[in-house]
Each structure stands twice: as C-alpha cells, then as structure tokens.
Amino acid sequence: MNILEKIKKELVYFDGAQGSVLQEMGLKPGELPELWNITNSQKIVELHKGYLDAGSNIILTNTFGANSFKFSGEDNEYSVDEIVSAAVDNVRKAIELTDRKDNDHYIALDIGPTGKLLKPMGDLDFEDAVSVFKEMVDSGVKNKVDLIVIETMNDSYETKAAVLAAKENSKLPVFVTNVYDESKSLMTGADPISMVAMLEGLRVDAVGMNCSLGPAQMVDIVKIFNEYSSLPIIVNPNAGLPHSENGKTVYDVDVEEFSDIMVEIVKSGARIIGGCCGTTPKYIEKIIEKTKDVEVKEITKKNNSLISSYTHAVEFGKRPVLIGERINPTGKKKFKEALRNYDINYILNEAVKQEELGVEALDVNVGLPEIDEVEMMVESIQEIQAIIDLPLQIDTSDYIALERAMRIYNGKPMVNSVNGKKESMDAIFPLVAKYGGLVVALTLDENGIPEDVEGRIKIVEKIYNCAKSYGIDKKDIIIDSLAMTISADTKSALATLGTLERVKKDFGGITSLGVSNISFGLPNRDFINGTFFAMALEKGLDAAIMNPNSHEMMKTYYAFNALSNYDPQCSKYIEFASNIETGNVVSIKNNIGSKLEGSSNLQEAIIKGLKEQANIISKELLKEKTPLEIIDKEIVPALDIVGDGFEKKTLFLPQLLMSAEAAKEAFENIKIHLEKEGKESQKKYKIVLATVKGDIHDIGKNIVKVLLENYGYDVIDLGRDIEPELIVKTVVEKQVPLVGLSALMTTTVPAMEETIKLLRKESPSSKVMVGGAVLTPEYAEMIKADFYGKDAMESVRYAESLL
C-alpha cells in the first residue's frame, strides 16, 4: 500500500533514535555515524532490524548528515552517493532479516540540516543549499527509496531549500519535521502556524515536529498543528532531557511515561508518530501497543487563509488586515529616483516606517522601465526580510521577477496579482502551485473591467474555477473588486462595493482593495479614502492596501476594529488615539518603542539593522565624539536593547544578527579612525570558540562569535569538527580564560565531555561555556562545564560577568 494511502486510514509509526543507539553500539566520540553504513554495516542493519521488529513502518536511512559538507573533496574517502547507497542497502538487508511478515514498511531517505546558516544571516547561498540537498535526493531516487523525510530543521529558510530540492528532483512523498523550543518557535523564529502555511504552500505531504522537546512539551504544539494543518501531523519527540550517568547519556522520560503521553498526542491529532533522541526500539514497541486501538482524528481540510514571514503568519478573514503600499514608485518621484540609483537603503527606510505604523504586511513593487526589475525585486525582498519580519506582498507584472522572488522568499508570500485573462492565469497559477502563496485576483479579463457587479462576479467564478484546476484552493485566492476613481465615474464605488459584498455572501471568499485608487483626481483625497474605507469594511473587506501615513484611513481602521469587537478593551484604539494627540508615531513593533525615546540615530540604525545608515552616522559621530564614547554610549546600549528583545522573544535571531551587522559597520569605522591616529582598538580578553570533534554544525558557534566580537572580545574561532587536543593547545598557548564549545548532535556530545576533561587537566583556570540543541543545564553540569547558554545572548552575558 502507498504510504500516503496508509496514513489516510490508520496510524503510521516511525522508528526512533539512531545516534544515541549507535553510541550504545560503540560509536566513538566525534566519529561520523554515516560512515558506519560502509565501515560497520552489520551494526546499522542491526539498528534498523531492532525498529522493524518493534513494529516501525517508516525506517529512516542512516543519512542524517550525509551531505557534501561532510562527504566531498580529497579528504573524504566516500562520496555522498556511496554513503546514501550503502545506507539504503542496509535498510533493505534489515527488512530481509526481520521476523515480520506484513511487508508493511517503507524506506525513507533521511535529510538533516547542513549545519550552516543561509544568507543573509550566514554565508550559505540559498541555491547552493538547494544543490547540496539535491545531491542527496538524486541518490535516494536512484536507490529507490519510498519517501523523503526532511527532519530536525531549525530554520524555515533551510527547510524551504530542502523541500524544493526534494520536489524538483523527485516525485516521492515529502515529509517535514522541524525543531520547536519551549517558546514553540524555531531557532530563527518561525512559529507552528507560519511553518504550516509555508509547507502546505510548497505541497509537502506531512508536517510536524521532532527532537529538542520531550512528548509532554509537544502536546500543545500538536493542537496548534491540528487547528491549522490540512496535512497528516508527525510527532517524534525525544525521551525527555539528556543527562549523564556513569559516563553514558541517558534520558529522563521512561518507556511507560513516554508511551502514555503519546496516547494523548494521538488523541490531539497526530497521525504519524515515533521517537527521536533516546527512544530505543522498546519505546516504539510500547507506543504501538498503547496507541494501536486509539481512535485517530480525521485529517480534515482547513480553510485558513494565511501568508507568512520567517517568524509568523497573518490570517485573512478574521479581522481586517492592513498592507502598507509605500514601497511602490507610482506617483512617487523620490522613490523612482531611489530605484534608478539602486538605493536599497531608501526602500528599507520605507519598510521600517510602515512597520512602525502598525501594518501587518508590506507591498513590494519596484517596477520601473529603465531598471532591471528582476534583480531589484530579488534584492529588495532579501534585504527587507533581513531586517523586518512582516510578510510581504510581491507586486509585479513581470513573470520572471515574480518567480525569482517567490523562490527566494522566506515564508508564504502574498502575490499581486492574477486576473481573468487566460494568459495571466496560465502564468501565475503554476507559480502559486509550486511555491505557495495567497494570490490577489483582479476582476478584469480580456474584455477589460466590467462596469457592473454581475460582470465582475462572472470573472470571479472563472478565476476560482481555473485556480481549482491547478489544485489551488479558494482560501488562497483573495479577490480585488477594483476601486476605480469616482472622479471619472461616480457609480464606480458602488460597483466595487457590490462585488465585494457578493464575493463574501455568494462564495465565502476573502477580499482586498487598493483603497486609495478611489480618489484619484480629487482634492483632499483622504476625506474620500477614509469614508470609502469605512464603507468597504462594513461590506466585509478583509485587507486594504493603503498608506499608513493617512490619518483618515488609520482613524477609520482603529475605530472600526473597536466598534466591531476586534479590539479587546479598545486597547489598540486608545494607543492610536493617544499618540495622535501627542503627535507621536504609533510603534507596534517589538515592544522596543519606549526604549528608543531619547536614543541616538546610531542606536536606532543598529536596532533596526540598517547597515548603511549605521555606517554613515558613525562616520559623522567620529567628528565630534571619541571612539570610546561611541562604543559605550551608542553601540553597546543598542546591542543591549536588541539582546534584551531577543531574550524576551520580541525579536528573533535574524533581527539580532542584522543588528550585529549594523554594529559591525560602526565598529569598522572606529577601527579605521584609530588606525589613522596610530592607535589600536582595545579588545577585551580572548575567547576560543569551537564546534567539537565529529560535528560540522557551526550555526550556534558562529552566532556567538558575531555577538562576542560586537561586544569587544578577541574571538579565536577554531571552526568545526575540532579535535580536543587542538582546542586545548590553543587555549594553553594563548592563555585563554574562556572557551566556548558547541555540539548539535547526540553523537558528538561525548567529544565535548572529552574536551572539557582535557581542558581541566591542561588549563584548569579556564572557564568553559557550552551550548547546542541536545544540551541542558543539568547535562552541562554533568560534563563539568562552567556555564550552559541556551542562546547566544546568554553566552555574551556570561562573558561579561567574568570581566
């Protein structure tokens, strides 16, 4: 039976841990588990057979890290294809040896993260990431696996790269699980709803979570998935938290407790269950025993209309959504000039201003005949997403620009626009079907814009039907009934509002309008815009593309929400009205508005991640202030504000890193200034950072490095997969007082412990801080570390405490 057919009918079971079980089998600290596919294949076969005998349906190949960053070049004895081929063969051998006779098992190509951050946060290009995953997918297809499982992903962007590699190079089912923390978000900020939006848009076949958390911490996340996901839900928890006993890694949730909670998880909506770190075949056997007769929830189609960024989703149809229209050259002389001059900083400032005014999404239109719109659109999307976490509307009539932008967009975008012309639908709908998106549909076709409601409704029907033929649900079409200026036709507003009302009543559809279009050619346009906006909201308008600088429209919006019970305790209206009276900007963003009061322009530039502005302002400040003043009074306070927001989860990792990059621009100017004066910039003490032996995942280490350098520390970055002896030698020779060690995988934590033991012997005065997804404060204490940092800012705080 096809795996997707099986899932529709019953519970399906994954296998459990590989890394922790392989350690029990003798995998040495720092040894690459994927190599065992070739060098110790009997043990890998034994591993898989254990889970097959326990009753697992889906067996993951031992290829979690079998990418070209580990297996390529002259130093590697085996290629990616050789590793994957051997891994698939080992699963097949295990299937032959199992006592099970049901033939109810599937071989899944296991794809884990590369261990690198993608640009702009890191140095890995998006398309390079796609290529790395493609190599694994090609080998899996060649070796005839049954499905592809993309797992343990803690970044939405890398997840998208892996999914595209799988979908573009195979016809296999694609399952995806991400790593959520206690705050129910990924390392780079994405919450469950945003991941559901993006992954359903990319048309994967099942979604869910694995690793990091135990089963109890996943129950509430499963409930969120069940509310929003139309796909089968996967849940593969850890066996709780790890700790060390007699030199071995053990987990604190036993088989009975784990399986009891998995029953609750199935009742909450999970359809595919198994285990991750610490879950041996006994765990799988027990969860099968306890859940096999549990009635599963029906997999139902959800009708939530969503767009998303890399942190969160915005839903249409619940209450009106504001989309900022200011990133658009139409009628804007300065904006056109900025586009001609390739002034990305101008675009970023427009984005920041609108974000501060409270819009929930941004329209991005950079179309100008005399520029390269494709390149400008791609760069604008990338740069805006680097500093702002609002979802974006990609607004272009250039199909090439649209596809390029949709491909590199981090999330599920809004797409502006399609219309009833066959050419338009045949160009736009395949892109929406491939990349996902909520597409704005204009009520015009080859015959132009109908003057009456009936004519526009016929186009709406045509668009819905055509979208359906491409597999696009009505929930992903947002109808724009076209606001045409009443200065040319005083009946046009009535046709627009009538169509809007019919879309809501007849189809249950969602609607948007470019509100300001209604008043072209008239004086005091805001009077007309504000009143028309109110009329449209009363008819059920779901989204307005509008100018958030318009007091009339913003007054209408906040008043309407208060009157319609969309604003509990009228809190947003009160905040808006109070700020209007005092002349202040209403800043909804990140709860840092109050901290910006009285701050310098440099502080604001750093907090907002505006690198070019930080560069310009710091140069000017050096004319009147000393470098030390700028560092102590401007840069460090700004970093502290951002760090505080990161720790409180009001800012996320991408924003933290972009602020660090802006600070780096200022620091670079200070360095140049000091060199001209024949001085050297003063560094704090030395810190050695390294990812331990056998681990190529250096995301966490690199983030810590960036922040420590911005706080003035002299960081010696040894890199990844570093032998304990080299770490200790460096520490001793350079008399380093603080060492930071990172490990992502269960299999490499013993190498961390080994490194600490050697440090204690050779450099007992040195402090050791550790971090990584598989670590806990208790485990860090067990391996004799001085400090456990759950995130990069905690590491900085610890370094500061030692000064």
Side-chain angles (χ1 to χ4, degrees):
M1 184 190 304
N2 179 284
I3 182 68
L4 298 181
E5 290 299 317
K6 182 177 177 64
I7 292 168
K8 290 177 184 177
K9 298 177 180 179
E10 59 192 87
L11 269 178
V12 172
Y13 299 96
F14 260 101
D15 55 12
Q18 290 192 4
S20 50
V21 174
L22 289 177
Q23 284 177 323
E24 290 292 318
M25 290 180 166
L27 184 74
K28 297 175 183 176
E31 191 175 4
L32 298 179
E34 295 86 5
L35 280 176
W36 272 33
N37 288 309
I38 296 172
T39 62
N40 212 339
S41 61
Q42 305 95 320
K43 294 285 187 183
I44 301 300
V45 172
E46 182 184 340
L47 167 78
H48 295 320
K49 182 178 180 298
Y51 288 114
L52 284 164
D53 291 345
S56 295
N57 303 118
I58 299 173
I59 303 297
L60 291 166
T61 57
N62 178 33
T63 55
F64 178 83
N67 58 65
S68 57
F69 291 119
K70 274 188 181 179
F71 300 98
S72 67
E74 296 178 0
D75 295 335
N76 295 286
E77 189 176 352
Y78 302 105
S79 68
V80 170
D81 184 58
E82 287 172 313
I83 295 292
V84 172
S85 297
V88 176
D89 189 49
N90 289 333
V91 179
R92 289 207 170 97
K93 287 177 182 176
I95 290 171
E96 291 173 4
L97 293 172
T98 184
D99 295 330
R100 283 170 58 185
K101 306 300 180 187
D102 56 18
N103 201 35
D104 195 12
H105 31 63
Y106 305 87
I107 302 174
L109 175 68
D110 186 12
I111 296 179
T114 62
K116 289 179 171 287
L117 274 176
L118 274 64
K119 295 177 181 177
M121 291 185 294
D123 57 5
L124 181 60
D125 184 78
F126 181 80
E127 292 300 341
D128 289 341
V130 174
S131 296
V132 167
F133 293 124
K134 176 184 182 299
E135 189 175 5
M136 296 180 70
V137 170
D138 286 344
S139 186
V141 170
K142 186 184 79 172
N143 285 281
K144 298 181 179 179
V145 297
D146 299 306
L147 69 152
I148 295 169
V149 174
I150 298 164
E151 61 147 324
T152 322
M153 289 285 176
N154 51 27
D155 173 30
S156 60
Y157 209 27
E158 186 175 26
T159 304
K160 180 172 182 176
V163 171
L164 286 179
K167 300 291 286 186
E168 290 176 346
N169 299 284
S170 81
K171 295 182 179 179
L172 295 169
V174 178
F175 294 1
V176 179
T177 57
N178 292 96
V179 180
Y180 296 91
D181 61 20
E182 295 87 347
S183 68
K184 301 182 180 67
S185 62
L186 307 191
M187 179 187 72
T188 50
D191 64 18
I193 303 172
S194 66
M195 291 307 299
V196 167
M198 184 184 81
L199 292 171
E200 286 197 1
L202 291 169
R203 300 198 177 193
V204 305
D205 298 285
V207 295
M209 63 215 76
N210 79 296
C211 205
S212 187
L213 300 175
Q217 292 77 32
M218 288 187 175
V219 173
D220 287 343
I221 304 176
V222 176
K223 291 176 181 177
I224 296 171
F225 268 83
N226 188 60
E227 181 180 353
Y228 283 91
S229 176
S230 303
L231 300 173
I233 300 167
I234 307 167
V235 185
N236 292 332
N238 286 350
L241 299 173
H243 61 275
S244 181
E245 287 184 6
N246 302 318
K248 290 185 177 181
T249 301
V250 296
Y251 291 78
D252 64 2
V253 178
D254 63 24
V255 172
E256 290 297 330
E257 182 184 356
F258 187 94
S259 52
D260 284 342
I261 301 171
M262 291 305 285
V263 171
E264 183 181 354
I265 281 174
V266 171
K267 291 179 178 179
S268 297
R271 183 59 70 102
I272 312 165
I273 60 174
C276 202
C277 300
T279 55
T280 64
K282 289 182 180 179
Y283 281 78
I284 305 305
E285 188 173 23
K286 185 59 71 171
I287 66 171
I288 293 174
E289 176 189 319
K290 290 186 179 179
T291 61
K292 64 182 179 181
D293 296 323
V294 175
E295 185 176 351
V296 295
K297 278 185 177 286
E298 185 181 355
I299 302 170
T300 58
K301 178 182 173 184
K302 310 303 191 302
N303 290 312
N304 310 88
S305 296
L306 302 168
I307 57 173
S308 68
S309 67
Y310 60 85
T311 61
H312 68 282
V314 171
E315 184 169 2
F316 294 79
K318 300 292 187 184
R319 57 173 178 75
V321 173
L322 297 184
I323 302 167
E325 68 176 11
R326 300 299 296 168
I327 304 177
N328 189 319
T330 306
K332 302 182 185 73
K333 185 177 179 180
K334 286 185 179 179
F335 198 104
K336 290 179 180 178
E337 195 60 32
L339 291 177
R340 293 187 188 103
N341 295 330
Y342 217 81
D343 186 358
I344 295 292
N345 196 51
Y346 185 94
I347 296 172
L348 296 182
N349 274 296
E350 286 295 324
V352 168
K353 289 174 187 175
Q354 293 181 97
E355 181 186 40
E356 289 176 341
L357 288 166
V359 300
E360 295 180 77
L362 294 175
D363 181 77
V364 181
N365 184 323
V366 292
L368 210 60
E370 60 264 45
I371 69 167
D372 185 338
E373 184 181 352
V374 176
E375 292 305 316
M376 179 60 83
M377 177 62 83
V378 168
E379 185 165 356
S380 296
I381 294 292
Q382 290 174 325
E383 291 291 332
I384 292 170
Q385 286 206 299
I387 66 166
I388 284 177
D389 70 341
L390 295 183
L392 304 181
Q393 175 172 261
I394 303 169
D395 186 354
T396 178
S397 57
D398 185 317
Y399 300 148
I400 297 174
L402 179 59
E403 175 161 23
R404 287 277 305 279
M406 292 179 75
R407 185 175 181 82
I408 56 90
Y409 180 80
N410 191 355
K412 179 184 176 183
M414 198 164 175
V415 178
N416 194 1
S417 59
V418 74
N419 59 56
K421 296 178 182 178
K422 186 176 186 304
E423 176 195 0
S424 175
M425 292 188 288
D426 288 345
I428 302 298
F429 286 149
L431 298 181
V432 175
K434 178 177 181 177
Y435 297 110
L438 177 69
V439 61
V440 177
L442 310 179
T443 52
L444 64 87
D445 61 10
E446 288 85 354
N447 298 315
I449 302 170
E451 293 183 3
D452 62 342
V453 172
E454 289 302 326
R456 296 187 193 189
I457 288 298
K458 286 180 181 178
I459 295 174
V460 171
E461 291 176 329
K462 180 167 60 170
I463 290 171
Y464 278 147
N465 290 333
C466 185
K468 187 176 180 179
S469 72
Y470 282 95
I472 299 168
D473 291 332
K474 185 174 63 178
K475 69 178 183 179
D476 283 326
I477 304 292
I478 184 164
I479 301 296
D480 186 332
S481 54
L482 292 172
M484 308 300 292
T485 178
I486 58 170
S487 65
D489 179 2
T490 53
K491 295 181 293 184
S492 66
L494 299 177
T496 300
L497 296 172
T499 305
L500 191 159
E501 188 174 26
R502 286 279 301 278
V503 169
K504 301 298 294 182
K505 289 183 178 178
D506 295 0
F507 303 101
I510 53 173
T511 58
S512 69
L513 279 176
V515 178
S516 305
N517 297 342
I518 204 72
S519 62
F520 279 136
L522 294 173
N524 289 315
R525 293 178 59 194
D526 252 9
F527 297 169
I528 294 291
N529 292 345
T531 304
F532 177 66
F533 189 20
M535 295 170 71
L537 288 169
E538 182 58 28
K539 296 292 186 184
L541 181 67
D542 295 299
I545 304 171
M546 48 80 73
N547 178 5
N549 292 303
S550 165
H551 282 183
E552 289 295 329
M553 282 202 282
M554 295 301 276
K555 282 192 290 184
T556 296
Y557 174 73
Y558 284 108
F560 178 84
N561 283 344
L563 292 164
S564 302
N565 196 32
Y566 294 137
D567 183 6
Q569 291 81 50
C570 301
S571 58
K572 295 295 183 185
Y573 174 79
I574 292 169
E575 182 182 4
F576 171 78
S578 300
N579 278 282
I580 288 294
E581 289 173 8
T582 59
N584 293 332
V585 169
V586 180
S587 180
I588 310 298
K589 176 65 180 164
N590 293 328
N591 300 320
I592 63 171
S594 60
K595 295 181 180 179
L596 285 174
E597 292 177 9
S599 64
S600 74
N601 289 333
L602 180 56
Q603 283 188 40
E604 289 193 39
I606 291 171
I607 289 167
K608 295 171 182 175
L610 297 170
K611 294 185 289 184
E612 187 176 334
Q613 280 189 230
N615 182 11
I616 294 168
I617 296 168
S618 59
K619 285 179 180 176
E620 290 300 312
L621 282 177
L622 281 166
K623 296 176 183 178
E624 56 188 64
K625 293 186 177 183
T626 67
L628 187 60
E629 279 183 289
I630 296 171
I631 293 170
D632 289 346
K633 303 295 184 183
E634 311 284 346
I635 299 176
V636 171
L639 290 172
D640 284 340
I641 289 173
V642 174
D644 184 59
F646 177 71
E647 290 173 326
K648 292 178 179 176
K649 298 292 185 181
T650 57
L651 284 169
F652 297 96
L653 181 61
Q655 295 150 305
L656 179 74
L657 291 178
M658 289 307 104
S659 292
E661 286 296 311
K664 186 177 178 182
E665 290 287 325
F667 272 123
E668 194 61 31
N669 287 330
I670 290 172
K671 180 181 175 182
I672 293 169
H673 180 85
L674 289 171
E675 287 173 352
K676 286 180 180 178
E677 293 186 350
K679 300 176 183 178
E680 289 187 8
S681 56
Q682 295 298 309
K683 292 280 187 181
K684 298 174 184 175
Y685 60 81
K686 290 182 172 66
I687 301 176
V688 161
L689 297 181
T691 302
V692 298
K693 175 65 180 172
D695 205 319
I696 67 161
H697 302 84
D698 58 1
I699 291 176
K701 172 185 67 66
N702 290 345
I703 295 166
V704 172
K705 175 187 175 183
V706 169
L707 295 184
L708 285 172
E709 286 179 338
N710 272 313
Y711 275 85
Y713 291 93
D714 186 1
V715 178
I716 303 168
D717 181 7
L718 296 179
R720 52 192 182 144
D721 190 17
I722 304 299
E723 298 275 0
E725 293 77 12
L726 176 57
I727 296 170
V728 173
K729 180 183 177 184
T730 306
V731 170
V732 172
E733 287 181 354
K734 297 185 180 294
Q735 299 181 330
V736 177
L738 178 59
V739 183
L741 302 176
S742 174
L744 177 75
M745 301 184 298
T746 306
T747 53
T748 57
V749 174
M752 181 180 281
E753 184 176 11
E754 185 180 327
T755 303
I756 294 173
K757 284 180 180 177
L758 196 56
L759 278 167
R760 296 294 181 229
K761 180 181 177 182
E762 301 296 332
S763 184
S765 64
S766 297
K767 299 290 185 181
V768 181
M769 60 181 181
V770 297
V774 293
L775 292 172
T776 63
E778 294 76 17
Y779 196 90
E781 186 178 351
M782 290 280 187
I783 62 176
K784 310 300 182 187
D786 296 291
F787 178 75
Y788 160 76
K790 69 176 182 179
D791 58 47
M793 278 310 303
E794 284 202 350
S795 300
V796 172
R797 305 289 189 226
Y798 180 67
E800 293 280 279
S801 74
L802 298 180
L803 278 172

